[in-house]
Amino acid sequence: EVQLVESGGGLVQPGGSLRLSCAASGFTFSSSAMSWVRQAPGKGLEWVSGISDSGDSTYYADSVKGRFTISRDNSKNTLYLQMNSLRAEDTAVYYCANSQWFGYHMDVWGNGTTVTVSS
Amino acid sequence: QSVLTQPPSVSGAPGQRVTISCTGSSSNIGAGYDVHWYQQLPGTAPKLLIYGYSNRPSGVPDRFSGSKSGTSASLAITGLQAEDEADYYCQSYDSSLSGYVFGTGTKVTVL
């Protein structure tokens, strides 16, 4: 069974940092592009960042460029999102999702991890 | 920010047909990038419903169908059922943003 499990969310103060993880199983992780998508409370979906299967190419939404860094460890079947200089508007549920290649549809989504930025 | 526009809500009685539009621009749908649709049931993660405008993943009922026209796409649900109450999002790729874009989302209510 294809499964994605996010972790690392929590409460952090404005200006703080957090690292999210997404553990993958049930498919060939090293052959899949991956993305992070977030959903603020009561709002719609917003794509945050993406990475190619090898990790050589990374992509970011303008809203997080320069503050967030996406990476992956194919030996551990794990995706990461390092979030720095967090703002209140980054408060959201963060989902990871896989795709055949970056730019294509997202096949499977994790259940999400909640990030709350508040003092 | 959402660059694909959807109606905030649509509703229908059980058994009826409803459609959801997704309007983009020349840098996404109009540029020829595929449109995909996701269903988000209350309190759950999004799930792929339609990909490549009209293809259904295994397990998705054929009551769901998708189409494209110019810079827009549409999702149709025929034979509406109570379990179809959910939020629906379209998605494409935008060349000017070099990333994914989602629609504003549509809440489907079964009367």
Side-chain angles (χ1 to χ4, degrees):
Chain A
E1 179 193 5
V2 175
Q3 195 170 16
L4 297 169
V5 179
E6 302 92 338
S7 60
L11 174 64
V12 61
Q13 292 189 338
S17 298
L18 213 54
R19 188 176 87 153
L20 306 183
S21 299
C22 169
S25 61
F27 66 101
T28 307
F29 181 73
S30 59
S31 297
S32 292
M34 298 294 297
S35 286
W36 288 97
V37 176
R38 67 184 181 185
Q39 186 170 35
K43 302 297 184 181
L45 301 174
E46 179 190 15
W47 170 76
V48 172
S49 182
I51 189 167
S52 62
D53 54 1
S54 65
D56 289 346
S57 298
T58 57
Y59 312 88
Y60 298 94
D62 288 342
S63 57
V64 305
K65 202 171 292 183
R67 299 187 299 123
F68 291 10
T69 302
I70 190 172
S71 62
R72 63 191 298 161
D73 186 336
N74 285 346
S75 68
K76 295 183 178 179
N77 288 351
T78 303
L79 173 73
Y80 303 99
L81 185 68
Q82 177 67 44
M83 303 186 296
N84 299 329
S85 303
L86 282 163
R87 306 166 180 167
E89 54 264 37
D90 295 319
T91 294
V93 175
Y94 285 73
Y95 299 100
C96 64
N98 71 341
S99 55
Q100 190 170 0
W101 60 80
F102 180 74
Y104 207 43
H105 62 270
M106 298 177 184
D107 287 299
V108 177
W109 297 59
N111 287 329
T113 186
T114 300
V115 173
T116 303
V117 184
S118 174
S119 55
Chain B
Q1 74 285 10
S2 298
V3 298
L4 303 180
T5 303
Q6 300 177 231
S9 64
V10 299
S11 62
Q16 283 191 330
R17 179 180 187 267
V18 297
T19 61
I20 301 170
S21 61
C22 173
T23 302
S25 67
S26 58
S27 60
N28 42 70
I29 301 175
Y33 294 105
D34 281 347
V35 172
H36 320 295
W37 292 90
Y38 301 86
Q39 178 193 58
Q40 187 175 32
L41 297 170
T44 70
K47 167 194 160 186
L48 180 65
L49 192 67
I50 296 284
Y51 66 94
Y53 282 106
S54 59
N55 301 292
R56 287 184 304 276
S58 173
V60 173
D62 59 8
R63 302 185 292 102
F64 295 93
S65 62
S67 63
K68 173 193 178 183
S69 177
T71 57
S72 295
S74 293
L75 173 71
I77 310 174
T78 57
L80 197 61
Q81 298 183 5
E83 66 211 49
D84 299 332
E85 272 208 351
D87 293 323
Y88 294 82
Y89 295 90
C90 60
Q91 179 208 43
S92 186
Y93 179 84
D94 192 282
S95 57
S96 64
L97 298 175
S98 298
Y100 288 105
V101 288
F102 283 96
T104 47
T106 298
K107 181 175 183 59
V108 170
T109 301
V110 181
L111 302 173

